[in-house]
Amino acid sequence: VLPILATAPLLVAVAYFDLRYMRIPNAISLLAVALFAAFALILPPDDLMQRLAAAGVVLGIGFLAFALGLFGGGDVKILASLVLFVPISGLNDFAMLLAWGLAIGIALVLALRKLPANWREGWVGLADQRGIPMGVSIAMAGLAYPILGSF
């Protein structure tokens, strides 16, 4: 649980940047990978390889979704780096939390887009009607996993 809790500040930054600019800086994903590398020293080798494989699958599928215009590149990179922090035994729980996060995040963004325009000024994720900032949902899933992952 400690490794994924350490990502909390990064996940808050992901939600902020995606709402504010509809862009997740590469530095956040790189910091997440560096943080995982520090924790990887204490993981069993088998678990480490499985996590790397799972993140690779997420990255591959994510880039296909990016190529089809379904996800942003930053969303794909942060999701793949976040999967590194989820034990293989918890991937189903994380996927369920991500699904709930997507539903709640989309509803939240659509509701916030109903605010008066001057309240949304400067928040590209709330003003831009072409897409939904998925970083908010990814951050919610990552923040909820240490609390709800075992339920």
Side-chain angles (χ1 to χ4, degrees):
V1 174
L2 180 62
I4 199 162
L5 284 175
T7 66
L10 297 176
L11 294 173
V12 170
V14 163
Y16 170 78
F17 278 102
D18 214 13
L19 267 177
R20 184 76 178 191
Y21 305 107
M22 280 290 281
R23 188 173 184 283
I24 301 170
N26 288 335
I28 296 175
S29 298
L30 290 172
L31 281 170
V33 170
L35 185 61
F36 176 75
F39 282 107
L41 299 172
I42 62 171
L43 291 175
D46 290 347
D47 190 48
L48 176 63
M49 297 313 287
Q50 290 175 338
R51 288 182 191 215
L52 290 170
V57 168
V58 168
L59 191 64
I61 292 170
F63 276 123
L64 177 61
F66 169 71
L68 295 171
L70 301 174
F71 276 89
D75 300 325
V76 170
K77 290 179 276 189
I78 198 64
L79 183 57
S81 60
L82 185 57
V83 165
L84 290 169
F85 291 89
V86 179
I88 294 302
S89 63
L91 282 177
N92 287 338
D93 291 338
F94 180 75
M96 185 61 67
L97 288 170
L98 181 60
W100 277 103
L102 288 168
I104 293 167
I106 290 168
L108 177 65
V109 167
L110 293 177
L112 290 172
R113 285 182 178 171
K114 301 291 184 197
L115 291 172
N118 61 332
W119 288 24
R120 295 180 282 126
E121 191 173 318
W123 293 85
V124 178
L126 299 179
D128 187 355
Q129 302 294 318
R130 295 172 295 157
I132 299 285
M134 295 300 202
V136 174
S137 301
I138 295 166
M140 280 194 283
L143 291 169
Y145 180 78
I147 301 162
L148 301 173
S150 61
F151 289 109

